[in-house]
Amino acid sequence: MATPRRNGQLSSCEPCRKSKLRCDHQSPICGRCLCHGQAERCFYHPAPLTQPRARTSRVISRRPKRQQRPDNQLVFRLDQKISSTAAPSPPSGLPPLTGEGDTLRDQHIARWTPKEKKSLGPGVLGLVSPKDIFREYEDILRAEEPDNIPTATVPTTTSSPSDPNQALLGVQVLSHLQKISWFHEIIELKNKISPGWFLGPPLTRALCDSMEQMYDRAVRNSRDTHAALATLSRQIFVNTSKDVRTHPTMNLPEYFDSISARWETVGLVFALLGTALFHTPDDDPIFTHRNPWKLEKCQLRNIATAVGEICCQFCNGAGTTSDPFCWLVNQQILTLMYGDSDYRVWQRLGDLSTIVYAFGLHQSGEDIEEKFPFFLVEIRKRVMVCAYAIDKELATSLGRPPRICSRYCVIPLPLDISYEDMVLSRSEAEKAFQNLDANGWNTEGKLTVGVRLRIVLLTSLLRESILELSLSPTTQHILARAEKLIQESRQTQQDLPSFLHWAPEEAAAGAYRFARDEGRIFAHIEFTYQEFLLHRILLKRLGINSQGLIESSLEIVTTLLDIIAMQTRPAHLMANMSWDLCYMGLPAAGILTSKLLSDNSSQMSNPSSTPFPANGRSLTIQKLNNFVSHLTFLVPPHERGYEIAQQGARFIRRVLDRILSPACPQPAPLMPDIELSENWLDGCDLNGDLDFMAWFDNIHWSQDPLLNFT
């Protein structure tokens, strides 16, 4: 840090002083050294004129001699300028981050120096692991061990963080928990709109309550809040490095009290908060009237994302895995805002797949279920379904091989029970089993979270086969395999319970417009989307423009319109339709729009092209008119995919205007055009056969679409 000299002027750093250049006295590195790549040489000597001058060598040799030890080992001398580089100054008002004399290099080396040796437990196929070989004799050997073994032979774990910077950063993270009541209120608002896929209202309520109690115990009757949080931070590091102990009779409050003082649990609160903020409007009273800290929604969302990332780094440094850590990584992927084409999202998916395998979520069996409380077993099933489905969704979006393969996993269907029944004891939950059929579906015909998870799992299993077909290096037998998968998809849908069956005749008559039909509509559009992807593969890889592609596209658009009509009836809460409209509806509408444009263009028309079904052309135009209006107004500006939705809507309007009034000039748009780049329609010839899907496939989405799984 620059210190004033006797004349009152600030001292210059050593490179600037020796070069006689003007120094800007910035700390810890001046701007001139930073621009010239001399950051490692930049430091401020407290008394530069008192440094001993380097003595010139009396004997000058043309060839430098290597100093050798008697055993012919080379001696390398360390440059004193590098070793004396000053460490960066701590922020104002905070204690020093490092010990005196530590350099950035020393800090980096210390961070990667192994403090304790940790070993990974083998999986079910750990055939060459000695521990796994003798596992079946473990009980016998334990019974024959003498009881007088000294306790000193048992290795102990590290009891405190090795880096004081981490403890200080932990204090800054814990300081945000003073707003835990406010965070809990925001999460509760989201649960009323869309309960979590694996952490529902009772679980998030118990999580926030235990976190609030932990914070209150730490700062209660303490005159120095910073010191109290520092003690809590060190204790959390100790707990994070240990395994979580559970037993079959453990209840929900007891379990969350045991995991509250862990970094993965702290990060989970902020990950849930970040997800909840996506479902909370900016003008909600919780921000305008019940916000004593005057934090804007965007600021709070950035804090939640950053704290969640920091807690993930703390857990990675501890080298242990736990159920809350699996929940945290899963929830963090859902909250990331980089965009699904960003490498960091793909990297985090790799972390999730590693944790799934390392923690054993891909294993299942009665012996495993008997060792844990009932609610934890069910949560693990749902977490595994979410991880598997996210893997398939992101692999489909990026066109990459999936990382979680079902052939190496046992992924059971979660029970179709409510969260209130899930948190009961195993004996009490047996009453809830009476409302389930033999396959685990509810008999009341409700579209519950359990129904959605089970359908998502069934369609994701199909998606894995679709990805294998799409990414296969060979095109042999693709047509036969695609037709087989289409039949498999239809058979799987037919095997669903009766309240999820879809009848085309009743759908055409408009019978599916009531609350009891939400389940069948959800299942139908999910399975129809799988068929759409298969027909799309045939078009991209074999050039086969099949009739099924047009029919499945029209069916997706029609079903989305039915869902919107069902949700806009009085006294019904409107759900977020951005995902369905952008990622399912827009590709289907693009196929239909391109088909209309191709048939309408006289110079590009082909008599052998695939025709529309009976009355299909007029019906398609009507559906696209309705769809483009919903696409414009149901994807608000702050939602993901807004710009893409507006671009797609603008293109569909242009095509419909050309088809309906070819001789008339293009009418003015009904609403002001958004600001789009001038070349967003480059390569799109409205007089020719436009490949709308080529544009759609190259979209870089502004935000991560995985919030569909929240």
Side-chain angles (χ1 to χ4, degrees):
M1 180 177 180
T3 56
R5 297 181 292 183
R6 292 182 180 180
N7 58 2
Q9 301 294 328
L10 291 176
S11 60
S12 301
C13 68
E14 286 300 288
C16 292
R17 185 184 67 83
K18 293 180 178 181
S19 301
K20 300 187 181 303
L21 298 174
R22 182 181 297 275
C23 182
D24 58 5
H25 314 294
Q26 294 294 326
S27 178
I29 301 172
C30 77
R32 183 180 296 276
C33 291
L34 193 62
C35 294
H36 290 80
Q38 297 180 345
E40 73 280 357
R41 300 176 54 194
C42 180
F43 72 100
Y44 295 89
H45 197 284
L49 298 181
T50 63
Q51 299 182 77
R53 295 183 178 181
R55 298 180 179 180
T56 58
S57 178
R58 295 181 179 180
V59 180
I60 301 177
S61 175
R62 296 181 179 179
R63 178 179 298 179
K65 296 182 179 181
R66 296 185 301 178
Q67 297 180 356
Q68 295 184 348
R69 292 190 178 185
D71 53 356
N72 288 336
Q73 301 233 343
L74 297 179
V75 176
F76 296 93
R77 299 190 179 276
L78 184 63
D79 191 350
Q80 296 297 327
K81 296 180 180 180
I82 298 178
S83 62
S84 61
T85 302
S89 302
S92 177
L94 295 179
L97 297 181
T98 61
E100 186 177 358
D102 288 346
T103 64
L104 294 176
R105 179 203 61 216
D106 296 334
Q107 299 173 32
H108 185 77
I109 295 176
R111 188 179 299 114
W112 286 97
T113 301
K115 300 300 186 299
E116 182 185 356
K117 188 175 182 180
K118 296 182 179 295
S119 58
L120 295 176
V124 294
L125 297 180
L127 302 179
V128 297
S129 171
K131 183 178 179 180
D132 190 65
I133 292 175
F134 294 103
R135 181 174 295 177
E136 56 182 311
Y137 305 104
E138 186 175 353
D139 296 335
I140 300 176
L141 294 176
R142 186 184 295 112
E144 295 179 354
E145 288 179 354
D147 297 333
N148 57 354
I149 297 180
T151 57
T153 60
V154 181
T156 58
T157 58
T158 304
S159 59
S160 62
S162 57
D163 189 357
N165 293 343
Q166 289 187 333
L168 178 59
L169 186 57
V171 173
Q172 298 174 355
V173 168
L174 294 175
S175 63
H176 291 286
L177 290 180
Q178 61 177 325
K179 314 178 188 68
I180 183 62
S181 299
W182 189 44
F183 298 163
H184 188 189
E185 189 176 356
I186 297 175
I187 294 174
E188 285 292 321
L189 287 178
K190 184 262 180 184
N191 285 334
K192 294 179 181 179
I193 301 174
S194 175
W197 285 73
F198 57 90
L199 289 178
L203 299 166
T204 57
R205 198 174 299 122
L207 171 65
C208 294
D209 290 343
S210 63
M211 197 62 56
E212 185 175 2
Q213 294 173 7
M214 180 193 69
Y215 182 82
D216 291 340
R217 286 193 300 265
V219 301
R220 186 186 304 155
N221 302 326
S222 177
R223 297 182 179 180
D224 190 351
T225 303
H226 186 276
L229 293 181
T231 303
L232 178 60
S233 175
R234 289 190 290 268
Q235 183 60 42
I236 292 178
F237 274 105
V238 175
N239 297 341
T240 305
S241 62
K242 299 179 181 178
D243 295 332
V244 179
R245 302 288 183 176
T246 60
H247 55 84
T249 59
M250 177 178 281
N251 56 27
L252 187 66
E254 182 183 358
Y255 176 76
F256 276 100
D257 288 342
S258 67
I259 67 171
S260 59
R262 300 178 65 93
W263 285 123
E264 57 263 44
T265 312
V266 176
L268 180 62
V269 173
F270 289 91
L272 291 171
L273 174 64
T275 304
L277 291 173
F278 279 101
H279 299 265
T280 308
D282 296 344
D283 57 350
D284 192 274
I286 200 168
F287 294 113
T288 58
H289 295 81
R290 300 192 294 275
N291 185 1
W293 298 276
K294 306 300 180 182
L295 280 175
E296 297 182 0
K297 176 183 173 181
C298 59
Q299 295 176 327
L300 185 58
R301 187 168 55 191
N302 293 335
I303 292 174
T305 304
V307 171
E309 292 284 347
I310 292 173
C311 292
C312 280
Q313 295 176 9
F314 287 163
C315 297
N316 290 330
T320 57
T321 57
S322 62
D323 283 289
F325 190 38
C326 297
W327 307 345
L328 170 60
V329 178
N330 206 324
Q331 197 71 35
Q332 274 293 98
I333 294 181
L334 304 175
T335 314
L336 289 178
M337 300 169 55
Y338 307 131
D340 59 358
S341 59
D342 193 284
Y343 175 75
R344 287 168 290 185
V345 180
W346 181 253
Q347 186 179 33
R348 182 53 56 87
L349 179 63
D351 296 338
L352 178 60
S353 61
T354 301
I355 294 171
V356 164
Y357 291 129
F359 193 58
L361 288 182
H362 63 296
Q363 306 171 10
S364 180
E366 297 180 358
D367 56 336
I368 296 179
E369 296 182 0
E370 293 177 355
K371 298 178 182 179
F372 302 98
F374 173 72
F375 67 88
L376 192 57
V377 173
E378 286 302 313
I379 292 176
R380 287 186 174 185
K381 293 180 182 178
R382 300 189 176 204
V383 170
M384 183 61 193
V385 171
C386 288
Y388 182 74
I390 289 174
D391 176 65
K392 302 305 166 293
E393 200 65 50
L394 193 56
T396 304
S397 176
L398 299 178
R400 298 173 182 173
R403 287 174 164 171
I404 303 178
C405 186
S406 61
R407 69 182 64 184
Y408 306 120
C409 303
V410 179
I411 313 178
L413 289 170
L415 292 177
D416 187 10
I417 58 177
S418 64
Y419 283 110
E420 288 72 17
D421 294 332
M422 183 190 301
V423 299
L424 299 176
S425 62
R426 196 178 301 270
S427 58
E428 294 174 341
E430 292 180 357
K431 298 179 181 179
F433 298 163
Q434 300 176 359
N435 297 327
L436 303 179
D437 61 13
N439 296 321
W441 300 89
N442 76 83
T443 56
E444 300 176 355
K446 295 181 179 179
L447 180 59
T448 62
V449 176
V451 170
R452 293 179 181 270
L453 281 168
R454 294 165 74 91
I455 293 176
V456 165
L457 176 57
L458 294 175
T459 54
S460 297
L461 291 171
L462 288 170
R463 184 73 64 86
E464 183 175 339
S465 300
I466 294 173
L467 284 170
E468 183 179 356
L469 191 66
S470 175
L471 302 176
S472 174
T474 178
T475 58
Q476 294 181 356
H477 312 297
I478 284 185
L479 180 58
R481 293 170 61 187
E483 292 177 352
K484 181 180 179 180
L485 287 175
I486 290 175
Q487 295 302 321
E488 181 181 346
S489 174
R490 294 177 180 178
Q491 184 62 42
T492 304
Q493 184 178 5
Q494 187 63 30
D495 293 339
L496 297 176
S498 58
F499 73 94
L500 297 176
H501 284 179
W502 179 270
E505 300 79 10
E506 297 183 9
Y512 297 150
R513 293 183 178 272
F514 304 96
R516 64 176 182 271
D517 301 318
E518 290 182 349
R520 69 178 85 244
I521 292 181
F522 175 78
H524 178 66
I525 195 170
E526 289 291 334
F527 282 96
T528 304
Y529 184 62
Q530 311 309 315
E531 293 192 25
F532 171 81
L533 293 177
L534 287 169
H535 289 296
R536 175 70 177 148
I537 291 174
L538 296 179
L539 177 60
K540 293 187 67 174
R541 304 206 64 184
L542 301 180
I544 300 177
N545 194 354
S546 61
Q547 183 71 28
L549 180 61
I550 304 299
E551 294 176 354
S552 59
S553 300
L554 183 59
E555 191 65 29
I556 288 176
V557 173
T558 302
T559 307
L560 286 175
L561 296 178
D562 291 340
I563 294 176
I564 295 174
M566 178 185 301
Q567 293 182 343
T568 53
R569 66 179 184 273
H572 193 281
L573 187 61
M574 188 65 183
N576 193 325
M577 293 291 296
S578 299
W579 165 274
D580 300 319
L581 290 173
C582 291
Y583 293 87
M584 297 176 66
L586 191 55
I591 291 291
L592 298 176
T593 306
S594 300
K595 176 63 177 174
L596 289 174
L597 184 62
S598 175
D599 291 349
N600 188 73
S601 180
S602 58
Q603 65 270 24
M604 297 295 295
S605 61
N606 186 2
S608 61
S609 62
T610 304
F612 275 107
N615 300 326
R617 186 177 185 276
S618 59
L619 180 63
T620 300
I621 294 176
Q622 297 175 15
K623 299 293 184 182
L624 287 178
N625 268 315
N626 293 333
F627 175 80
V628 73
S629 62
H630 292 310
L631 185 66
T632 303
F633 295 104
L634 293 184
V635 184
H638 65 273
E639 285 291 340
R640 56 195 181 275
Y642 169 74
E643 184 177 355
I644 304 302
Q646 297 299 321
Q647 292 178 4
R650 183 176 181 178
F651 169 78
I652 295 174
R653 284 200 197 96
R654 288 187 177 183
V655 174
L656 293 179
D657 290 340
R658 179 175 294 274
I659 292 174
L660 296 177
S661 54
C664 301
Q666 181 179 354
L670 299 178
M671 60 180 302
D673 288 340
I674 62 172
E675 296 182 0
L676 302 175
S677 59
E678 297 179 357
N679 58 346
W680 78 273
L681 274 179
D682 283 355
C684 299
D685 185 8
L686 293 181
N687 294 321
D689 188 8
L690 167 67
D691 187 3
F692 180 90
M693 299 306 297
W695 166 76
F696 186 85
D697 290 340
N698 294 323
I699 290 176
H700 293 285
W701 297 100
S702 58
Q703 290 185 2
D704 196 347
L706 298 177
L707 284 171
N708 180 51
F709 294 99
T710 61

